[in-house]
Amino acid sequence: MTTNAIATISQTNDFESILAQRDLATTTRYRYGREIIKAQEAGVNLLDAADVADYATTLPSSRKMFLRAAVALIADNLTAKAKASATPDNVQAMQAIMWRADALKGSIHVQASKGQRAHTWLNLSEVRALLTNLTDATTAKGLRDRVVFGLLLGAGLRRDELVNLKWGDIKTQGERSVLNVTGKGNKARVIPVSDALVSLLGKWGDKIDPEGYVIRSVDKAGNVAAYDKPMSGQAVLDIVDAYGQELGKEKLRPHDLRRTYARIGYDAGVDIGQISKLLGHASIATTQRYLGLDVDLKKTISDFIPFT
């Protein structure tokens, strides 16, 4: 029975069903599936930790990461099936399957890059692509993705701030719409947003339930999750990563879009102190790092103060 249970998981069609159960971006699902297919074409036994480990050493880091994630899904599914099938008569066999699954999850090692990851900023054409042709606003998922990018690029939100944003946090102050956001250290800040972003939000949803979450999952049938079901931070990461691949930006992260928000504002002439407040930074120095700026030691404001 152990052999039969393990053999079932190794089939490509079964892996496709595993992927279907996960809330993954289309590009991410494709990359996971592609690595599984390539491994099978190379004759790799995806349920043999040693075989998987040997094969992984031949791959570049980017592909190795996708294979590791895909194998982890297989291992998790294998464990779940073993637990569901366990009886007093086969408990030892099911335990053996779970041990094998654990070995699979630890079979691929991706060496962490040394030093700090280079900061990424998008240019205006890349930002426009994310907010227009790359996201299909005629579908629920495409519109949701466009709103995700709208809030990351048009309000500079952190990932946690995005998934925790509620419809009631969108306010009107005078002629301007603002977001009331609670960020790191439970610090509240007000972020003015453009009419274009407000219009985009209006196409996505409304304030029927002020306590409802703005960003929510969309299933394959196009059904949007209930207002009280926020999307996970990992799902946001997957969305940004998937569209980053389409832009040719490997490992694009939500924080890169936050940096882009700051950089576009700075290039447009917005005062760095204002940018710092909008980002919720504790110091201007942090904002300077976001912008990739160095302090000018040759010239400073103090030089122009008439002390004598």
Side-chain angles (χ1 to χ4, degrees), residues 68-307:
R68 181 175 66 177
V71 169
L73 293 182
I74 291 175
D76 287 342
N77 191 61
L78 189 61
T79 298
K81 284 190 173 184
K83 289 180 177 179
S85 302
T87 68
D89 294 331
N90 69 9
V91 65
Q92 289 185 334
M94 294 303 104
Q95 182 63 64
I97 292 176
M98 287 186 280
W99 284 338
R100 193 162 186 171
D102 285 342
L104 276 174
K105 294 186 76 170
S107 62
I108 302 176
H109 301 282
V110 180
Q111 185 175 359
S113 58
K114 296 181 179 178
Q116 187 177 16
R117 185 173 75 91
H119 291 174
T120 298
W121 294 273
L122 303 185
N123 58 40
L124 284 175
S125 64
E126 291 167 334
V127 169
R128 189 173 292 109
L130 289 173
L131 295 173
T132 55
N133 60 297
L134 287 184
T135 46
D136 181 7
T138 64
T139 67
K141 181 182 179 300
L143 181 57
R144 189 277 314 280
D145 293 350
R146 187 172 293 186
V147 171
V148 166
F149 286 115
L151 289 167
L152 292 172
L153 288 163
L157 299 186
R158 299 180 176 95
R159 186 172 26 148
D160 287 346
E161 294 168 349
L162 174 67
V163 297
N164 288 311
L165 186 71
K166 296 182 178 180
W167 287 105
D169 295 327
I170 305 171
K171 308 285 187 181
T172 300
Q173 290 188 3
E175 298 181 355
R176 172 72 76 173
S177 293
V178 301
L179 306 182
N180 282 343
V181 175
T182 301
K184 283 185 177 180
N186 206 33
K187 292 191 301 182
R189 70 185 191 278
V190 174
I191 305 172
V193 293
S194 68
D195 292 341
L197 178 52
V198 173
S199 175
L200 178 61
L201 287 165
K203 293 176 182 177
W204 166 242
D206 52 45
K207 298 182 180 181
I208 292 177
D209 182 359
E211 289 300 309
Y213 292 96
V214 175
I215 304 301
R216 307 187 304 283
S217 297
V218 178
D219 65 20
K220 289 187 174 181
N223 300 309
V224 182
Y227 275 87
D228 62 343
K229 304 292 184 183
M231 197 164 69
S232 69
Q234 181 60 49
V236 172
L237 193 67
D238 289 339
I239 289 171
V240 174
D241 178 70
Y243 283 96
Q245 301 286 346
E246 294 190 46
L247 282 175
K249 300 282 186 179
E250 291 288 335
K251 301 179 184 178
L252 187 68
R253 296 292 180 262
H255 237 65
D256 295 325
L257 306 185
R258 181 169 152 85
R259 291 189 188 95
T260 298
Y261 163 81
R263 189 63 174 264
I264 290 176
Y266 181 79
D267 290 344
V270 178
D271 178 73
I272 192 172
Q274 176 75 354
I275 294 172
S276 187
K277 289 181 180 179
L278 291 172
L279 292 171
H281 285 164
S283 70
I284 296 292
T286 302
T287 308
Q288 286 177 314
R289 289 196 296 272
Y290 259 58
L291 296 171
L293 302 177
D294 293 321
V295 177
D296 186 352
L297 298 179
K298 294 182 179 180
K299 182 188 295 185
T300 184
I301 295 172
S302 185
D303 294 338
F304 301 93
I305 303 301
F307 290 100

